[in-house]
Structure formats: C-alpha cells, structure tokens
Amino acid sequence: MLSCSVPVLATGRLRSKLLVLAGLLGFFLLNFPVLPALLLAAVFFTCGIWVAAALPNRLRTFHLPDVRQLLIRGVLASSLLVSLLVTVLVRDAGSNLLDWSQATLINMAATSLAMLLLLPLLHSWERRRWRWSSAGELLLQAALAATACALAARDGQTLPGLLFLVFPLMIWATQHRLYPGFLAVGFAATLATLLALTHSVHAPGAWDWLGHLLFLNALLATGFLLAASGSDELDMSRALLKEQQKLARLLDDVPTYIFIEDLQGRFTYVNRAFAALTGHAAEALIGQPASSFCDSLSQPGHQPVVGPQPFEWQVVGATGEHVLLGSCFALSDSQGEVYGRGFAASDISERVLADEQARLTAKVFDNASEGILITDGAGVIIAVNAAFCQITGYGAAEVIGRRSRMFVPQASGQNAELQQTLQQGGQWQGEMMDRRRNGERYPAWLSISAVRGNDGRVTHCVGVFSDITARKQSEARLHYLANHDTLTGLLNRAGLQEQLRRHIGQSQASHQPLALLFIDLDRFKGVNDSYGHALGDALLQQVAGRLRTSLKDEDLIARLGGDEFTVVLDDAPCHATLATIADCLVDELARPYRVEGHELYLTCSIGVSRYPDDADDAQSLLRTADIAMYRAKELGKNNYQFYASELNTRVSERMKLEGEMRRALRERQFQLHYQPQYSLSTQELIGVEALLRWHSPSRGPVSPADFIPAAEESGLIIPLGEWILRTACLQMRSWLDENVDIPVVAVNLSPRQFVMHKLVDMVRKALDEARIPAQRLELEITEGMIMQNPEEAVAILRDLRAMGVKVSIDDFGTGYSSLSNLRNFPLDALKIDRSFICNLPHDDDNAAITAAIVALARKLRLTVVAEGVESAAQADYLGSLGCHVAQGFHYSPALSGTQLPQQLSRDAQLALAC
C-alpha cells in the first residue's frame, strides 16, 4: 500500500495527497480500531511523503544519487518504521518476544522488498515511460511471467529456486540499463514473494524464510544500484554524443578551416569549410593522405611538435589559389600519448590582396607624377606625395596640419563652387591658378573628390593636380599656329574669322562702323610658275611687310591663303578716306620687288566693304568685299572698287548660271553644231569647226559669250571640254559610217584643258573610242595658252603631232604673242580672229593687220583660216591676200550633225546645176 501511494504523492498536487490520505484512513478503519487506524494512516502517509520527495522528477531513469537517497530514506528507514508499527499494533497478544522479533524482521524485509520492486514499476507507469527495447527482451519477460505463475501455483514453496532464477535475470536487466527488463524481473520476484508471505511467520522454517527475504533484498538493491549506475553511464554517453554533435555542427558552421590528421598523415576529421575549399565531400577526405592536398602537412610517421606552431600556406583549392594563416597543434589522449595533429586556419587571400593593393597604392601615391594631397573633412592636410612637394616647392612637414587654401572660410568664386560640390559628396575638377612657395603663380588642373563615412558625413577629401604650364604654353602655341599664317605671321582665315566677329561685336556696341579691304595680287601665279614657290613665298613675305608698314598697328591684317590678303579698319573713316587708303595700298604694292636678285612687278585688285552698310556679319562682310575685288579685276586689275548691291546681283546671277550649266551637262542640254570651212581657191570643203550651243529650258538659247566664261571660271569647262571632244569624234565616226566625207573636225581647247598633263591621254582615248584616224581631228588653242609655259606647250604639241592630230592657233592677233617662239611651235594652221575680218575691205587698219598676219603665216608655212566671213567681197579680198581657208555665214551657219550632210548634199547639187 505504501509503495502504491508513493507515486501518487510524488505528483505534489494537493488533490492527490488528500486522495491518498483518504484511501489510507478507509483501509485501516476497515481493518483496525479507530486509534490504531488513525496512527497507521498518519505513519503511512508521512512515510509516503518522505519517500516521494526522494523520487526523481521528469526523468526516464533513476540516477545513482536518487537511488542512494531512495534506499536510505525510503526503503530502509520507512520499512523499519512501518514494520515496527505493524508488529506493535497487530501482533498477537500471546506472542513471545522471539516470535515478535521474528515477525518484525520478516515484515521489514517484506516491506522493503515490496518497495524496492514496486516503486520503480509504479513510477515508470505513472510517467508513461515504460517501453520495450527489443523483441528479445519481450521473450525474456514472457519467460519471467511464466516462471512467476509456476511459482505461484506451487504456493511459494521453492523460493531458493526463485533466487537462482532472479540473479541472472537481474544481471541481464542491469546490462540493458533500461527500466523494462529490470522491472519485469522485479514484478516476477514480487509476485513470488507475496505468495510466500501468505504463509504464517510461525510456520516451520520461518528463519530460513527471513534469510531468503534478506538475501533477495540485498540482491535487488544491488541490481537497483547497478541499473541506476548503468543509466548514468548511458546518460553520460548520450550527453557526450549530443555535445559531440553540437561541437561538430559548430565546427562546420564556422568559416575557419579545421581538420585533423593522424600519425600516419591521414585525415581523420575535416569540417565543411575545409571540404568546400578542396572541392571534395568531407566523407571522401576521411582516410586520405593529407600531404596530397598540401606538401606542408605531415608525412606518414612524422612526430608532430607538441606546442602550437603558426603557419602560412599558399594552396590551390577548387576555386583557385588561396593563402591560409593558422596554427597546428598536437593532439594527445588522457595518458599524454600524441595520436595526431590538429589544424585551424583562416583564408587571408583577400587580406593579402588588400595588403598588396595597399602597398601598390602607397607606391603609386609616392611615385605618381601628379601631385596628390589628402585632407580631413575640415580641409586640413594630412598627407601629400613627393610630386606635390616638387610642384609647389613646399616640404611635407610645412603643409601637413595646415588648412588647404581651397578650403578657406567665406570662399567666393571658384573655391566656393568647389567647397559646395565637395560638401554634397561629389567630385569637382577644373583649371585653377595656384601659387608656389616662392610666390610664382602657375595654372593647375585639379580633380578632387569627397570621401563619406558610414554616417554620410564627409570625412576626407582626395585631390590630384598637375602643373599644366607646359600644356598651356603648347595650347597657346597651337592656338597661334591655328590662327596665324606660318609664312607671313599674319592672321589666317580662322584667326580673321574670330577677330572679325569680335570687332563686329565691339562695333555694334559702340555704334562705330568698320571696313574690310579684300586684296588679291594680280598675276602672282605666273611668278610662282616661272620662278618657283620658294621665290613666291619670299615675295609674299615682302607684300605682308609692306602692308604692316602702310597701316596702323591696331588694324587687322590677314592672309587668307595663296595671294589673298584682307585688312580690317576699326572706326572706319568716310568714303573718301577709305578710297585714299585703298589707293595708297595699290600704289605701295605696285612698287618693284627685289627677291633673290630678281626685280619683280606685281599689282593688286582691292574690294572694299563696310559694316553695317554692306553686311551685318563676318561672313557677309568677307563675301561682299570679295565681290567688289572681282569687280576690280574685271575692270582691268590694279585698282580698287567699293561694294555695291548691283555687284551682288551679278554674282548671284553668275552662281545661278553655273548651277544651271551643271544641270544642263547632267541632262545633256548642250549640243554641238558644226560650221563648214571652205578653200578660197577651189571652194572645196576643207573641214568643220565644232561649236557649242546651249538651249536652256528656262532661258532659251544662251550665247556662248555668256556661259563659256562662267564655265572657265567655275572649272566646269574641264568635264564640258572632255564631252565636246568625245562627242565630236563620235560624230565624225557617224559621218564616216554614212559615207559623208568630212576631211577634219576642229575642236576648241580651254586653257585649263591644255595645261592638264592628261590632255594627250584624253585625246588618244577619244580617238580610240570613236575609231577614227588622228588626221581627222584638229585641236584649236589660243596664243595665251602656249605662251604661259612655252617649254611645256612645245612638249604637248609635239606629242599631239606625233599622234597625227593637227593643231591650229585660234583668235590670232588678239593676245600676247612672241614671234620668236611662234616659229618653234609645231603648228598646222593659224586662224585670224573675226574682229579683224568684220570691216574688210574698207577698214584700212584691219586690212593692214590681216595682210600682215597672212604674210607671216605663209612665211611660216602655216595654213591661214579666216573666221567670220559674211560677204563675197570679204571672201574675194582674203583670197587676193593669199588666205587659204574661210568660214562664216557667207558660206553656212553652224549646223547640227544631221543637218550638215543634208546641206552639203544641196550645195553639191547646186554646184552641178551651175
């Protein structure tokens, strides 16, 4: 009853305690008088409370200290007390002392045995921790139950046999260190004991029975202690395993590389970080030689040093090269025997890289060619490099600790902008003037950045600057070269444009007019071609010098290129004063020049334009002055002209005409007409001259006198002349295919075509393309064309004559001729200009000139051709002078390529009819 009440009292609840007390009172009142029942209930209840206090709380097994306390407090003391009280209260009055003592001892042994057996069983049942460990244990417990039933059937008469059975089962239960086996053995022994207690203590052999009970108590107490001890060992093993697992998890989670090797140099433990470093699973590394990963590790049989040893290794892992820093230490057991070596290391690759970068940064800082300074947030200098000292002249000790001039309080201008930018955490860069230690000021290019801390405040500023004095000088030199003419030192076109815009702005602000003189040297190209470019350059330098001496220092003088100069006059005087200045310049530049032993003569043409009367910007002012200069050239050169609006109209018209001509060439609006040439003596057809005609869709028929000069000036005459040559040759081919006998076709050449080196090739190509003999082609050139460069002209003419092409001089008598050179030119014919033919035979002067030309040509054995013959009288007169060939309206106007054969056919029929 006491054993059954103790687990209920162990709950500690008041309701449980009252329930146990009520149960005890009820039981004893039913079996004893009131006073003994009350006394027994109080003793049993007190002993139950005392024993319950020794029971463990919320534990699956008893621990050894709990068992000791339970045996001392509960089993021994309470069993003795209960046995004495039971014996005193319920003993037989007639019993003697020996019987009384025997009954007391038997009651005490039986009570303690019952408590030893039932307390763990009931405690485990109440905690609901009764479990079965294995199938083998279930079989043994079934065997115990069968043994207990057999003993009960024999009425407990074989207690010694039970003892021999209980002992090995107790040992087995102890080895399992769990409740179920031990409690099953105790349950079987208790059942047998209770059956034995049914016998009277006065039965024969009671003392033997007492001895058996005491032996069984000792045996169970020993087993109980052994089981509790085994339970402690199991708990310790489990706790150790748990701690090992916690330690393993901790080592796996730390970023440190940890591993252990045994005395043979094999891995016995690696943590997760180290396994990841190697690129292998931790289980795969266990048992592998550690030296295969790193040569610095121990070799098999190597005895490690006992004390910790630091190391730094450079290893190649799965993700590349790593640097490990750590220590190794010997591992020993409880007897001090070393069984391996442990390693703990950290990856310092990033730190090594950072240190290397820091060293590199420091080296760059010290060796940079740019000056570098570092300040704190207040602008106090905390570090400078060697270049800073070299550029500024200050030593490091002189500036460190002082506030930089860039951060002076109440700064204005550039420094205020810099400070504001840095306070906002930005970067400022730009050019600024600085001062060296000796007071010299110099330009510097500065780039400075703010460095913010974690709180967002500016903690430092880093500035990098360089002395740009040399660069500024180079820029100034480049600016001078970009805006000045290298030959004369005057402003060039770009410099003039810049200065002219500035002067126009000043003129606009001051309401003072200005004037621009555009100067072009006449016939300078002839000097260059005759004497070479070196002499031409020297001549241009003298021209520039004369302009400087003739004008004021504040006047702008520029050379636009070639032989073109300009002069800008501020605060332009009146029209008459400008005319005087221009006239003086014309006279000054017309004086003879002495260059390299040669006396040379030049003239100039000047165009004058005024701001704001003639133009309102720089470009327009240059354009209007250029227009006026061209007007001066048209009027005979060596003069000056003021710009007038009608000049601009003429230029616009010329530009419009040029555009229409280019379109006409693309759209094939030009046509060739052919004027026949006849022999004055036989009236036979000698050849035809190809004449260019243009019928414009917008202008109608345009005179060659209007569009040929424009084509010459614009350069369009070159493609146009090539088209004329090809077309005339192809027309000759067409006539030959039609059996129309045209002896020769004459084509006029432009001066620009004649000076081209590819003229001979162009003629040869046209002849080859048309498949006509060279004798069918005649080229007409002017006197001026061959007199510009006589030597080159002779070479070209000889090449043409060698091909079989005929060459004649057109418009003879209108230009400058050298009769001594004329006889050396390989020519075939000479054409008298129509200006000498138009008034014949009544104009005595023209008649004399014509007669002289005819006589000269006949002496040089050249064919003489008269142009513009319009009457029979003129034809007869020219025939009487000895002229060979004539052409003009008297014979036929110029006809198209299809009309000419028809006209020739009609003339032939008319001649036969006469």
Side-chain angles (χ1 to χ4, degrees), residues 323-578:
V323 179
L324 304 183
L325 177 66
S327 62
C328 59
F329 45 89
L331 300 176
S332 57
D333 56 19
S334 58
Q335 285 76 32
E337 293 292 332
V338 175
Y339 62 86
R341 188 161 65 157
F343 297 85
S346 298
D347 190 345
I348 61 169
S349 303
E350 294 184 359
R351 190 176 74 187
V352 170
L353 181 61
D355 292 343
E356 182 65 25
Q357 290 178 343
R359 286 192 296 270
L360 182 61
T361 301
K363 190 172 182 180
V364 171
F365 181 82
D366 292 334
N367 295 282
S369 60
E370 293 84 4
I372 303 175
L373 75 157
I374 303 175
T375 72
D376 60 14
V380 177
I381 300 175
I382 60 177
V384 296
N385 68 341
F388 175 96
C389 301
Q390 182 180 359
I391 294 173
T392 63
Y394 288 98
E398 294 179 279
V399 296
I400 292 178
R402 296 174 57 184
R403 184 190 296 272
S404 171
R405 286 192 292 266
M406 296 182 293
F407 296 93
V408 293
Q410 289 84 39
S412 60
Q414 195 177 41
N415 280 355
E417 177 189 354
L418 182 148
Q419 293 181 20
Q420 182 180 3
T421 302
L422 294 179
Q423 286 300 322
Q424 296 172 355
Q427 178 184 14
W428 186 91
Q429 65 176 0
E431 182 181 327
M432 63 188 311
M433 294 300 298
D434 198 7
R435 187 172 64 251
R436 307 187 201 274
R437 191 176 187 275
N438 59 8
E440 177 190 355
R441 296 183 65 82
Y442 67 98
W445 182 265
L446 171 67
S447 176
I448 186 168
S449 303
V451 180
R452 290 186 177 274
N454 295 330
D455 57 356
R457 294 187 301 106
V458 176
T459 59
H460 296 84
C461 293
V462 180
V464 180
F465 69 96
S466 58
D467 184 353
I468 59 173
T469 302
R471 192 183 81 184
K472 297 294 288 185
Q473 292 174 349
S474 177
E475 288 177 354
R477 176 62 179 166
L478 290 175
H479 184 269
Y480 178 86
L481 294 176
N483 291 278
H484 287 78
D485 176 43
T486 56
L487 178 65
T488 62
L490 301 176
L491 291 172
N492 59 12
R493 183 178 295 274
L496 175 67
Q497 293 277 5
E498 180 181 340
Q499 293 295 327
L500 185 56
R501 283 192 293 268
R502 184 173 63 85
H503 279 252
I504 287 177
Q506 295 174 352
S507 175
Q508 186 177 13
S510 62
H511 302 288
Q512 295 292 333
L514 60 84
L516 187 143
L517 280 64
F518 199 112
I519 304 171
D520 185 88
L521 303 180
D522 302 326
R523 294 187 298 275
F524 176 75
K525 186 177 183 303
V527 175
N528 253 351
D529 294 340
S530 301
Y531 297 99
H533 291 281
L535 187 142
D537 291 344
L539 180 60
L540 290 174
Q541 290 173 340
Q542 290 194 22
V543 171
R546 292 189 184 185
L547 290 175
R548 286 193 184 98
T549 57
S550 302
L551 298 167
K552 296 184 295 183
D553 293 339
E554 56 268 23
D555 294 333
L556 288 180
I557 308 173
R559 179 188 174 216
L560 301 185
D563 56 356
E564 295 179 340
F565 295 84
T566 56
V567 174
V568 177
L569 303 176
D570 285 325
D571 192 12
C574 63
H575 189 280
T577 306
L578 279 175

Side-chain angles (χ1 to χ4, degrees), residues 91 166 197 222 225 437 476 508 563-564 657 696 738 797 868:
R91 70 180 181 83
V166 168
L197 285 176
T222 301
L225 290 172
R437 191 176 187 275
Q508 186 177 13
D563 56 356
E564 295 179 340
L657 178 63
S696 171
E738 296 173 0
L797 293 176

Side-chain angles (χ1 to χ4, degrees), residues 173-204:
T174 301
Q175 290 176 347
H176 278 69
R177 301 176 184 176
L178 292 172
Y179 275 154
F182 178 69
L183 295 180
V185 175
F187 178 78
T190 302
L191 182 61
T193 304
L194 292 177
L195 291 175
L197 285 176
T198 57
H199 294 278
S200 174
V201 294
H202 301 287

Side-chain angles (χ1 to χ4, degrees), residues 103-264:
T104 299
L105 291 176
I106 291 173
N107 286 333
M108 184 183 67
T111 304
S112 63
L113 181 61
M115 292 183 66
L116 283 174
L117 293 173
L118 291 179
L119 277 176
L121 178 64
L122 295 176
H123 178 264
S124 179
W125 181 268
E126 191 274 337
R127 293 293 180 180
R128 296 185 180 180
R129 295 194 179 100
W130 197 347
R131 62 184 181 181
W132 307 96
S133 60
S134 66
E137 190 172 350
L138 289 173
L139 293 176
L140 289 173
Q141 288 164 356
L144 286 175
T147 302
C149 292
L151 291 174
R154 298 195 60 184
D155 210 15
Q157 296 300 315
T158 52
L159 187 57
L162 177 63
L163 298 180
F164 288 106
L165 178 64
V166 168
F167 186 73
L169 293 176
M170 183 63 69
I171 294 175
W172 166 80
T174 301
Q175 290 176 347
H176 278 69
R177 301 176 184 176
L178 292 172
Y179 275 154
F182 178 69
L183 295 180
V185 175
F187 178 78
T190 302
L191 182 61
T193 304
L194 292 177
L195 291 175
L197 285 176
T198 57
H199 294 278
S200 174
V201 294
H202 301 287
W207 290 106
D208 294 335
W209 167 248
L210 178 60
H212 295 326
L213 288 177
L214 293 177
F215 178 76
L216 188 58
N217 269 280
L219 183 62
L220 291 178
T222 301
F224 201 12
L225 290 172
L226 288 175
S229 176
S231 176
D232 284 341
E233 292 180 10
L234 180 61
D235 286 346
M236 291 173 62
S237 176
R238 289 175 177 172
L240 180 60
L241 179 61
K242 184 181 295 185
E243 292 300 322
Q244 288 177 344
Q245 293 173 346
K246 288 170 57 179
L247 180 61
R249 286 195 298 269
L250 177 63
L251 295 179
D252 280 340
D253 291 339
V254 295
T256 304
Y257 303 118
I258 300 173
F259 58 95
I260 300 173
E261 63 172 10
D262 58 15
L263 296 180
Q264 283 70 41

